[in-house]
Amino acid sequence: MSQKVRGVVALAEGEPVTVETIIVPEPGPGEAVVAIQACGVCHTDLHYRDGGINDEFPFLLGHEAAGIVESIGDGVADLSPGDYVVLNWRAVCGACRACRRGKPQYCFDTCNAEQAMTLEDGTVLSPALGIGAFAEKTLVAAGQCTKVNPEAPAQVAGLLGCGVMAGLGAAVNTGQVGRGDSLAVIGCGGVGDAAIAGAKLAGATTIIAVDTDPRKLTWAEEFGATHTCNARETDPVEFIRSVTDGYGADVVVDAVGRPETYRQAFFARDLAGTVVLVGVPTPDLMAPEIPLIEYFGRGGALKSSWYGDCLPSRDFPTCIDLYLQGRLPLDKFVTETIALDQIESAFDKMRAGEVLRSVVLLDPTRS
């Protein structure tokens, strides 16, 4: 039987989001209904609202979430009602060319629910990243549910569903930062700080944070930055070289995703170093003009990080264990907890750089 729940919807490009009644169908084969306990407010949700992803309005926003499996459809073997899960947007198919090559972290055919959630009048909703978790309940593919230790509060566990995993994975999985390495991160919001936290976990000894906001640089130090650079006052390329014996960093993570920051990342790396782009560019942005000889002469690697190149079934439980051991400070990412009807305000604070993460709490007992 279908259910009526409250959810946050972007009805049209650039318009304020509204709380609407959502119809969630009974799960079909391979699907699950999850009662959402907490969901982080991510820049990607704002990109959806502003038409920066696609124009398939209306969107049911929210994707960075944790909750409890309420019901499952036929053929779901490794999930049960009552399971505590973090939702992911990489539900590995097991059959595409990446999966067949033993690289499921690059799965090219991830699964979403087949059925649609709708408004009361039958209007079909497009769930953000196939999840739609700014809602009391949502319908997802069973593979989008990753079981984790229920001792972790939902407001921190859910952050692995996008931003924290994207940043941490950009450093550790994509950039392969290791013991004794140097890392520079350009853009120290939630994703950038997660890259810093990941590099610290991996044993990097020089961790450089670059931003234009002094408050964000202070936050970056709390996650493990050993050096900070205010890019409004100091050339970041020269600063990064100055604290790496004149060479540049082994890995530079661009967590902004703009031509000017990518150019900085390119020139701030050591010879044979790695640039990792994890900040999401808007479709209108073009690559910076860099002489081709510079690509050849510097060597190394230029990589894009998709979801931190994570494998949710492997990485989510590991990160939760590290959090419970006190080694990964997920709680520091949560600036505030809010209600469903406060998301527009959270978007404003995000734009102003006032928060790392606002988190919607739908079940206060799990905070």
Side-chain angles (χ1 to χ4, degrees):
M1 181 182 297
S2 63
Q3 303 182 64
K4 293 184 179 181
V5 302
R6 294 185 307 144
V8 174
V9 175
L11 292 170
E13 182 176 332
E15 292 188 4
V17 298
T18 55
V19 178
E20 306 284 347
T21 299
I22 308 301
I23 308 300
V24 180
E26 190 78 12
E31 297 175 341
V33 169
V34 177
I36 302 300
Q37 296 182 327
C39 184
V41 181
C42 176
H43 270 93
T44 303
D45 295 305
L46 185 56
H47 286 326
Y48 271 107
R49 196 209 72 166
D50 290 344
I53 305 295
N54 58 54
D55 60 357
E56 296 173 5
F57 289 89
F59 293 108
L60 175 58
L61 300 181
H63 58 280
E64 198 176 77
I68 300 293
V69 175
E70 181 182 88
S71 56
I72 57 175
D74 292 341
V76 178
D78 56 354
L79 203 62
S80 301
D83 284 342
Y84 180 54
V85 297
V86 175
L87 298 183
N88 74 78
W89 43 273
R90 175 167 286 151
V92 173
C93 74
C96 72
R97 60 193 185 280
C99 289
R100 292 197 306 270
R101 292 170 180 167
K103 297 180 178 180
Q105 70 271 27
Y106 301 127
C107 180
F108 300 133
D109 194 20
T110 59
C111 305
N112 294 316
E114 292 290 332
Q115 299 182 89
M117 291 179 281
T118 68
L119 297 174
E120 283 191 289
D121 64 3
T123 300
V124 172
L125 294 167
S126 299
L129 292 175
I131 293 176
F134 285 155
E136 293 164 328
K137 297 178 184 180
T138 192
L139 177 76
V140 294
Q144 293 178 278
C145 300
T146 304
K147 291 185 281 189
V148 298
N149 190 326
E151 292 182 19
Q155 68 187 54
V156 299
L159 301 182
L160 294 174
C162 190
V164 168
M165 192 68 254
L168 189 151
V172 176
N173 295 336
T174 313
Q176 297 184 335
V177 173
R179 292 188 300 275
D181 283 347
S182 57
L183 169 88
V185 176
I186 301 174
C188 297
V191 172
D193 283 344
I196 288 169
K200 181 180 179 180
L201 270 174
T205 50
T206 301
I207 303 174
I208 306 151
V210 178
D211 206 286
T212 58
D213 185 340
R215 173 175 40 196
K216 291 186 177 181
L217 293 174
T218 299
W219 289 339
E221 289 179 315
E222 295 177 5
F223 287 98
T226 59
H227 302 76
T228 61
C229 172
N230 187 325
R232 290 192 190 279
E233 302 171 354
T234 305
D235 180 272
V237 176
E238 292 305 315
F239 181 86
I240 292 166
R241 287 177 178 166
S242 74
V243 297
T244 55
D245 298 322
Y247 299 124
D250 296 308
V251 179
V252 184
V253 173
D254 178 1
V256 179
R258 293 191 56 82
E260 55 268 35
T261 54
Y262 192 81
R263 183 182 180 87
Q264 290 168 348
F266 182 92
F267 286 107
R269 66 188 172 120
D270 195 358
L271 294 176
T274 299
V275 172
V276 178
L277 175 63
V278 67
V280 181
T282 54
D284 59 303
L285 296 178
M286 304 297 290
E289 290 190 10
I290 297 173
L292 193 59
I293 189 63
E294 294 285 357
Y295 291 95
F296 176 80
R298 289 175 179 270
L302 307 176
K303 296 183 176 182
S304 297
S305 186
W306 299 342
Y307 204 177
D309 290 341
C310 78
L311 184 60
S313 60
R314 174 196 65 198
D315 294 336
F316 288 10
T318 298
C319 288
I320 291 296
D321 287 344
L322 290 168
Y323 164 74
L324 293 172
Q325 293 166 13
R327 298 167 62 192
L328 180 59
L330 295 176
D331 51 309
K332 289 185 179 180
F333 288 95
V334 181
T335 308
E336 64 173 359
T337 55
I338 62 173
L340 273 178
D341 59 3
Q342 295 176 294
I343 287 174
E344 271 298 320
S345 174
F347 284 156
D348 292 338
K349 293 176 183 178
M350 182 190 301
R351 287 194 197 91
E354 297 175 4
V355 295
L356 280 179
R357 269 300 183 270
S358 301
V359 178
V360 178
L361 277 186
L362 292 108
D363 182 357
T365 66
R366 289 294 300 166
S367 64

